[in-house]
Amino acid sequence: MTGEVFAAHDDPGHPESQARLRAALAGVPSDARRITPERAAPEDLARVHTPRYITAIRSFCRECPLGRACYIDPDTYAASGSFDAALYAVGAVWQAVERALDGEHSFALVRPPGHHAMPARAMGFCLFNNVAVATAKALREVDRVVVVDWDLHHGNGTQAAFYTTDRVLYCSVHQMGLFPGTGWPEERGAGRGVGYTINAPLESGSTGADYALVFRKIVVPAIRRFEPGLVVVSAGQDAAFDDPLGSMALCPGDFGALTGMLADMGFGALALALEGGYGRSHAEAIGAIVAALDGARFTPEGGEPKASTRLLVEAYAEEDGAILI
Ligand code: ZN
């Protein structure tokens, strides 16, 4: 699911631009099936966002002069066509969920990204939370959804949307201490949601070996206990070794390895949604993900995991059964 429809939301000088999506699309094999995105209904946004916020963003876009980008905060812009582009992004992620529920892997290559968008606030390049809206809508059809977020940054918006529910397991692996400053292991959920938020902040310089260890020891076992009816992935490839926004060290094939680990779990097809990813190797990472969805399997690179990653994994193992589901 992708297209030029997202070009209506653009600021060519910003890292999160349509040029970035075009570059990423170079990694998609020419024979991959492409599906035209469909626009979500504005009412769908209200599954996660407040009506007042939806109206405010629509007005902000309408008032932005044609051909310009207007800034909501120092990071986040909207243009006159952004509200429409955002509806297509939400709609395309929902289409990916529908494909997954029908048993077919799919990857919604959309922008603007969504995982920082809070119920009533735009943040970190995100206007509406594409994955959270599609996940909330999917709860009409399945009892439990897992959202795995391997973007470089913590998906604070997605975490907030499902913090108090036991029907969505949110698992995030991200670089420690970066924007937006949340995503500590102590953030585990609240009320009925305690234990259904899992955060694994990793040290800078972490490799595919660190991510694979966290997946093998924390993420995959938690998903098995949760028995989801749907697996959604917030797929941001800004943890790549050459990404200008971070200092992680994943190789393109590592994203294929993580995709393969989730696809092999047996909880149905995956619905992936693009979040970040700004480096030169992004297209190759997208190619590895698509190849993994097509059955190729990758071995994580990077040698031995860091001592800090091992400590994190051991801390989770000790608490297993006490705080984890
Ligand atoms: Zn990111």
Side-chain angles (χ1 to χ4, degrees), residues 134-156:
T135 296
K137 194 167 175 177
L139 289 173
R140 295 183 316 178
E141 303 187 27
V142 294
D143 285 337
R144 291 175 305 283
V145 181
V146 62
V147 178
V148 177
D149 187 335
W150 67 52
D151 188 277
L152 171 75
H153 305 95
H154 178 237
N156 57 305

Side-chain angles (χ1 to χ4, degrees), residues 95-107:
Q95 286 170 276
V97 164
E98 282 186 311
R99 301 293 345 117
L101 291 174
D102 278 350
E104 187 186 3
H105 297 306
S106 70
F107 195 169

Side-chain angles (χ1 to χ4, degrees), residues 16 20-21 23-25 27-28 106-110 113 115-116 125 131 148-153 173-175 178 206 211 215 232-259 262 270-290 292-293:
E16 204 297 286
R20 168 200 164 233
L21 179 59
L25 289 175
V28 179
S106 70
F107 195 169
L109 289 153
V110 302
H115 73 154
H116 296 305
F125 316 166
V131 161
V148 177
D149 187 335
W150 67 52
D151 188 277
L152 171 75
H153 305 95
V173 188
H174 46 271
Q175 185 177 332
L178 280 193
S206 291
Y211 278 70
F215 267 55
V232 181
V233 183
S234 261
Q237 285 61 248
D238 37 6
F241 70 95
D242 60 351
D243 198 279
L245 268 57
S247 45
M248 293 307 219
L250 269 68
C251 298
D254 292 328
F255 293 100
L258 300 180
T259 305
L262 296 179
L270 309 179
L272 291 92
L274 183 66
E275 300 285 359
Y278 311 93
R280 270 189 300 170
S281 70
H282 192 199
E284 213 184 319
I286 298 284
I289 291 170
V290 174
L293 294 178

